[in-house]
Amino acid sequence: MRALLTTFSWQELRHHPWRNAAAVIAVMLGVALAFSVQLINASALDEFSSAVRSVNGQPDLELRAAQGRFDEAVFAQVARQPQVTLASPVLEVQSVALIGERRVPVRVVGVDALVLSSIAPALMPQPATGGARFDVFAPDTVFLNAAARSALGDAATRMQLRVDTQWHTLRVAGQVGAGGAALAVMDIGAAQDLFRQGGQLTRIDLRLAPGTDRAAFVRSLKALPGWPPGIEVAEPGDAAQRVSNLSRAYRVNLTVLALVALFTGAFLVFSVLALSVAKRAQQFALLGVLGLTPRERLQLVLAESLVLGIIGSAAGIALGAALAEFALQVLGGDLGGGYFEGVAPTLRWSSGAALLYGGLGVLAALVGGWWPARAAQALPEAQTLKGLGAAPAQGGAHQLALLLMAAGAALATAPAVFGIPIAAYLSVGFLLVGGIAALPWLIALFYDRLAPRLAHRLLPLLAIERARRMRGTAAVAVSGVVASLSLAVALTVMVASFRDSVTRWLDVVLPADLYVRSATASSAGGTGGSSGDRAAFTPAFVQALAHVPGVARTGTLRTRALLLDPSRPAVTLISRSLDEDAARSLPLVGAAVPVPAGRIGIYVSEAMVELYGAKPGSDFVPLSKAFAGGATAPVFFVAGVWRDYVRQFGAITMNAHDFERLTGDRSVSDIALWLAPGTPEGPVQQAVRALAVDEPIEIASVGQIRATSLRVFDRSFAVTYWLQAVAIAIGLFGIAASFSAQVLARRKEFGLLAHLGFTRAQVLAVVAGEGAAWTAIGAIAGLALGLAVSVVLVHVVNPQSFHWTMDLLVPWWRLAALCAAVVAAGTATAWLAGRAAAGSDAVLAVKEDW
């Protein structure tokens, strides 16, 4: 009997390869995309963490300033503490090396070589062959890591390094073993002199005595007399953890999008096996008479779904590894997210991840095959053999559907878990499953009312009646299309809403005609930390630009990194000229709050409200602590919230006058130029470049910045567009297989229609009408479910993942075209399938019943 069952299942899978291929391909793509995303991000994060560990070493604690650098007198205070066995001062500066005509960002690290070997051995300078042993203490001498040597040339003995507005020639005396992006190591005293940072440090690495209570030690440090405010204590692994947290939401969202195909695959397995069970009902009944138990029938269908899942998962793992290798070579590991700049990871295979995602593929196939297996188990043998019976209908399906959708709506209101919108993703799943479960009710709702209107039109009535009378079969056939179309609609609405919000946001944040910034700052940007401490332009240069012919007025912007929480990435402090009406300068969310007397008004991005509780109308204490260097700490008042689609982990804007009064820093990072009416941009750009003799600059018009920004946006969402196309293609492939199987099984019906006088064209018209009727219901359900899911994506998933909001925009014409294409494809598929079954064989098939 077991051999007979195996043959029975194998013949079914072998003789219907195209029908089963739809389910296999869907599982394969879902597994491949999710597994490739996991491999890419794991490889990039592992490479980044290794680079951080090699550069930062493994101290017990790190001391950093909330903003900028701090006085090295702190080092003397800390080094004297009895709990400290080793203290290593570090100065980090982001600079640029000149290689021919090319500028390469280089991170310069000043270290004390006498204590370095015990904390960060990978940074220990190794003199070149024949080099002097004391070169590690020599001025204007650097030691390069592999990335810097590769950029400069392994045989190079000199390098040009930019310091402020001048180029300095440094001698390359050896190498260091640290990995990661281009790095130059030199003596800390020499680095302080070179960059004019005398008495300044970026961080202090501490090695504590065994058994020291770290929490108690940190409290004792902050209680020291004269301890400067704004010094943060971080764990050594926090830097890698911050980047991991920064990219986590991006990774999770990509993975969920990749699993869209796997979700669709579960419905296609369900559709394929449900139709297969219906077609083989009499065969199952005969096996039951021969001794096959209902439980064995269930196991038989589950075994078929298991085979589909194993084949799809195995192919998906292989394809996913190939996709990951390709993406690492082309995208460098960030998939467009920009979280791992300067890291060139190699593929790192993970057997655990392969087993996990392969198991998910098999599980999706088994879930898809469960209900068809239950239907095979419940077949009444005697009635089915006579063609009189079928599996008992499942009652209360509409109640289950309502319950699932209500649960989905409730889950959409739940908060994120560890920054991940897990409940929102579950909400999407419940809404989709509930909507698909409601398909039979939806078919009855529409076609019970439409049928009386078609009572005198025979061909349309036949097409409608089949959907009415076999609503369960129709729901099974279109379930894959509904799943794929609803997700495609939701992603279309989400991307369109995001793009429209970004476009309108750019209109507010880019009011000027031209924007000027330092080329070296842009090439070194994105590194964070010290790169934002020194701005490129002086007030004199800004004043000179204001007198350029054709320039009506100028505006300035200054950015600085603020480490408000050691466990989170730094936020960005933005100093700019603000009008009395801040809404004209910032894309505010809601109205601004009047600033009370004696307080400094600030405007925070939406991420600051979510992550730091900086609500409008309240004082923001963390920023006051960061500026608590004077006699009295300033009090900052949150006057409003603005949208920022650039800085995911927070930004604070304050008036330039307040920033200059608090810091004494009048330097500028970016300059905006408003041109007089009718002034061409070309001559103004030439005049600006002529003024910037000592500073390589970049000038861009507002149109260029907008076009570049939207091009980057579209490139970032290219994978989303591709996933939409894949989901729709798989859904249509599934409905094509379903119609083909059903039409071929209905040869006797078509033969009877031919005996009753129907022409072949009329039979094909009925079949095409059935395809249109079924896919029209699928399109309506997919559109409605997609709109519901898009609300969850726009108003729940996006804010919980990235801490910014956007307005919902429904591109009705695009969605209508998408639904029309699905209906047209379903109709054409049914017509093509009907051609194969409505020929002369259909007439002869009627004799089988005589």
Side-chain angles (χ1 to χ4, degrees):
M1 177 64 73
R2 187 173 296 275
L4 177 64
L5 296 180
T6 303
T7 303
F8 182 70
S9 292
W10 176 249
Q11 292 298 325
E12 170 63 21
L13 294 172
R14 187 168 67 90
H15 286 140
H16 300 91
W18 292 108
R19 185 176 67 197
N20 295 313
V24 171
I25 291 174
V27 173
M28 178 190 71
L29 288 175
V31 172
L33 293 170
F35 183 55
S36 63
V37 169
Q38 170 65 27
L39 284 182
I40 291 166
N41 284 282
S43 300
L45 187 59
D46 189 52
E47 186 75 21
F48 181 85
S49 298
S50 298
V52 168
R53 285 194 300 269
S54 66
V55 174
N56 290 0
Q58 287 298 327
D60 295 320
L61 292 174
E62 296 175 354
L63 271 61
R64 295 179 178 270
Q67 59 173 325
R69 302 180 176 89
F70 57 92
D71 196 290
E72 66 180 7
V74 176
F75 175 77
Q77 283 184 291
V78 173
R80 288 196 297 264
Q81 301 304 307
Q83 301 95 325
V84 176
T85 60
L86 196 65
S88 175
V90 179
L91 175 66
E92 298 179 11
V93 179
Q94 186 68 40
S95 185
V96 177
L98 181 64
I99 302 174
E101 297 297 326
R102 188 165 58 97
R103 293 177 173 85
V104 178
V106 176
R107 181 182 177 189
V108 181
V109 181
V111 297
D112 183 356
L114 297 178
V115 298
L116 193 64
S117 59
S118 300
I119 286 187
L123 283 181
M124 191 65 193
Q126 304 169 20
T129 303
R133 185 172 56 179
F134 293 103
D135 279 345
V136 295
F137 306 109
D140 296 335
T141 302
V142 294
F143 298 80
L144 307 180
N145 72 342
R149 293 199 312 274
S150 176
L152 189 64
D154 291 334
T157 59
R158 294 284 188 274
M159 72 177 295
Q160 292 275 349
L161 195 68
R162 185 176 179 82
V163 179
D164 292 332
T165 60
Q166 299 177 344
W167 295 98
H168 283 252
T169 301
L170 305 180
R171 181 168 63 94
V172 179
Q175 62 185 7
V176 294
L183 182 74
V185 176
M186 62 191 308
D187 178 69
I188 187 169
Q192 289 174 329
D193 293 339
L194 177 66
F195 292 99
R196 302 178 183 88
Q197 295 294 311
Q200 297 293 303
L201 297 178
T202 302
R203 76 172 193 266
I204 302 174
D205 296 337
L206 301 179
R207 181 68 55 80
L208 304 181
T212 299
D213 184 337
R214 297 189 183 187
F217 172 69
V218 171
R219 289 195 298 268
S220 68
L221 281 184
K222 294 185 177 181
L224 290 175
W227 181 260
I231 300 294
E232 301 289 346
V233 182
E235 295 288 337
D238 282 348
Q241 186 62 40
R242 282 196 297 268
V243 173
S244 177
N245 293 340
L246 182 67
S247 63
R248 181 176 57 190
Y250 185 77
R251 300 194 313 266
V252 171
N253 279 279
L254 275 182
T255 301
V256 171
L257 288 178
L259 290 174
V260 165
L262 191 57
F263 183 85
T264 306
F267 280 102
L268 285 184
V269 171
F270 165 69
S271 177
V272 166
L273 291 181
L275 294 172
S276 175
V277 168
K279 177 186 175 185
R280 294 181 292 163
Q282 291 184 329
Q283 299 175 24
F284 278 116
L286 178 60
L287 289 174
V289 173
L290 295 176
L292 188 68
T293 66
R295 181 178 179 83
E296 287 174 329
R297 292 201 298 267
L298 180 140
Q299 293 174 348
L300 181 63
V301 178
L302 286 180
E304 293 177 7
S305 66
L306 179 64
V307 171
L308 295 177
I310 291 175
I311 295 174
S313 296
I317 293 298
L319 178 61
L323 288 175
E325 178 66 31
F326 174 77
L328 288 174
Q329 296 294 329
V330 175
L331 301 176
D334 62 4
L335 284 176
Y339 298 109
F340 305 107
E341 293 188 15
V343 175
T346 56
L347 181 67
R348 307 200 180 184
W349 173 264
S350 172
S351 299
L355 290 174
L356 172 63
Y357 288 100
L360 284 176
V362 173
L363 179 62
L366 289 174
V367 169
W370 174 252
W371 288 111
R374 289 293 303 275
Q377 182 185 29
L379 282 174
E381 289 92 346
Q383 292 175 316
T384 304
L385 280 174
K386 295 179 182 179
L388 301 175
Q394 299 291 330
H398 65 287
Q399 297 176 357
L400 176 62
L402 291 175
L403 181 63
L404 288 171
M405 287 190 283
L411 285 170
T413 63
V417 180
F418 300 111
I420 302 299
I422 296 175
Y425 291 134
L426 292 175
S427 168
V428 170
F430 275 93
L431 288 174
L432 290 176
V433 176
I436 291 172
L439 281 176
W441 172 81
L442 184 66
I443 292 172
L445 177 68
F446 274 87
Y447 291 147
D448 284 352
R449 289 162 174 76
L450 182 61
R453 301 175 182 271
L454 301 175
H456 302 291
R457 303 181 63 181
L458 182 58
L459 297 184
L461 180 63
L462 288 176
I464 296 298
E465 281 297 319
R466 181 171 177 82
R468 286 182 65 208
R469 304 300 178 185
M470 303 186 65
R471 62 190 64 171
T473 303
V476 168
V478 301
S479 61
V481 168
V482 173
S484 58
L485 180 60
S486 59
L487 289 167
V489 167
L491 291 176
T492 299
V493 173
M494 184 198 71
V495 174
S497 300
F498 200 2
R499 199 179 195 279
D500 179 70
S501 296
V502 169
T503 301
R504 288 187 283 109
W505 176 76
L506 289 171
D507 292 337
V508 179
V509 299
L510 297 175
D513 299 300
L514 292 176
Y515 291 86
V516 182
R517 70 176 309 185
S518 169
T520 56
S522 61
S523 64
T527 56
S530 59
S531 61
D533 294 339
R534 299 175 63 83
F537 303 121
T538 63
F541 181 77
V542 177
Q543 189 175 8
L545 290 185
H547 292 89
V548 170
V551 174
R553 65 187 180 97
T554 62
T556 61
L557 183 143
R558 173 74 163 94
T559 60
R560 173 178 288 190
L562 282 177
L563 187 62
L564 300 181
D565 185 345
S567 64
R568 290 182 175 139
V571 304
T572 303
L573 178 64
I574 302 173
S575 161
R576 58 176 297 177
S577 300
L578 292 176
D579 299 330
E580 293 184 3
D581 181 9
R584 295 193 308 175
S585 305
L586 294 172
L588 292 182
V589 179
V593 180
V595 180
R599 284 169 168 76
I600 299 174
I602 60 172
Y603 298 86
V604 299
S605 66
E606 293 173 303
M608 296 298 299
V609 180
E610 187 75 20
L611 299 175
Y612 295 92
K615 297 181 180 180
S618 63
D619 294 338
F620 189 51
V621 178
L623 187 59
S624 298
K625 292 181 178 179
F627 279 91
T632 58
V635 180
F636 294 95
F637 180 82
V638 181
V641 179
W642 59 288
R643 282 182 179 170
D644 183 12
Y645 290 132
V646 175
R647 305 162 190 89
Q648 178 184 337
F649 274 77
I652 303 171
T653 300
M654 69 167 58
N655 197 299
H657 298 297
D658 295 325
F659 179 82
E660 293 173 8
R661 178 169 52 83
L662 293 172
T663 65
D665 185 358
R666 299 183 62 201
S667 59
V668 173
S669 304
D670 298 84
I671 306 172
L673 302 178
W674 281 263
L675 304 185
T679 301
E681 295 179 357
V684 175
Q685 292 193 20
Q686 293 178 0
V688 172
R689 294 186 186 278
L691 287 174
V693 178
D694 297 325
E695 176 68 35
I697 61 173
E698 292 179 352
I699 306 177
S701 66
V702 63
Q704 291 172 325
I705 297 176
R706 283 173 54 89
T708 301
S709 301
L710 294 177
R711 186 167 59 250
V712 170
F713 178 92
D714 292 333
R715 186 171 67 245
S716 299
F717 281 92
V719 65
T720 304
Y721 302 138
W722 190 78
L723 284 171
Q724 289 175 292
V726 168
I728 290 294
I730 291 174
L732 291 176
F733 193 21
I735 201 171
S738 301
F739 270 115
S740 299
Q742 290 187 60
V743 168
L744 291 174
R746 293 165 58 197
R747 289 186 306 127
K748 296 178 185 179
E749 177 186 332
F750 297 146
L752 179 60
L753 291 176
H755 279 290
L756 293 176
F758 280 74
T759 65
R760 187 169 185 268
Q762 288 175 321
V763 172
L764 290 178
V766 171
V767 175
E770 292 175 4
W774 290 19
T775 49
I777 285 294
I780 293 171
L783 178 62
L785 284 176
L787 292 175
V789 171
S790 69
V791 173
V792 177
L793 294 180
V794 170
H795 293 303
V796 182
V797 171
N798 190 73
Q800 289 185 359
S801 297
F802 303 106
H803 314 298
W804 54 53
T805 62
M806 55 189 177
D807 299 321
L808 184 69
L809 173 71
V810 180
W812 290 110
W813 286 109
R814 198 182 312 170
L815 297 183
L818 185 61
C819 293
V822 168
V823 174
T827 304
T829 297
W831 184 82
L832 291 173
R835 292 188 62 187
S840 58
D841 289 343
V843 178
L844 296 176
V846 180
K847 295 181 178 180
E848 296 176 7
D849 289 337
W850 294 356

